Amino acid sequence: MWIASSALHESFYARHRGMIGHSGLLNLGERFVWWLFQLTKRDMAVLIFLVLALLGLADWILHLWTIVAAGTLILSTIATIRSSVAAGDVITREPRS
């Protein structure tokens, strides 16, 4: 699946384009995917962490970071599996007779 919009395509890093294309995130909507990735970029994460620290909610920083890291790991795994299957890199076992 290719990223259709050029504005959406230009706002992502090269590795994100592949992950978005293969993970099926575009099924949730192009605008949703754009906002999701904008809110998880490093500068936005630092701003949210700073605000949480100023509000005295520093313990939430680790929880949110873990959630984002787990979500990214899951999406990357899905994209890798789909990419491998599409490229024919997956070796399947023949059924035993």
Side-chain angles (χ1 to χ4, degrees):
M1 181 181 299
W2 292 95
I3 299 175
S5 169
S6 63
L8 180 68
H9 185 72
E10 292 172 1
S11 68
F12 297 127
Y13 303 120
R15 62 187 168 95
H16 288 158
R17 287 185 211 115
M19 184 171 63
I20 292 168
H22 291 292
S23 68
L25 273 177
L26 286 178
N27 295 335
L28 300 174
E30 191 173 289
R31 191 159 188 80
F32 175 78
V33 172
W34 185 86
W35 275 107
L36 179 70
F37 274 81
Q38 295 306 315
L39 293 175
T40 57
K41 286 190 175 176
R42 188 177 303 131
D43 56 344
M44 189 64 186
V46 170
L47 175 65
I48 290 173
F49 292 168
L50 177 66
V51 170
L52 287 172
L54 291 173
L55 293 174
L57 300 171
D59 54 333
W60 278 95
I61 293 172
L62 182 59
H63 299 302
L64 290 175
W65 180 67
T66 304
I67 291 168
V68 170
T72 303
L73 177 65
I74 290 168
L75 290 175
S76 295
T77 303
I78 292 170
T80 302
I81 291 169
R82 285 187 175 182
S83 176
S84 296
V85 170
D89 293 339
V90 175
I91 300 172
T92 57
R93 289 180 39 180
E94 293 293 324
R96 294 183 182 180
S97 51

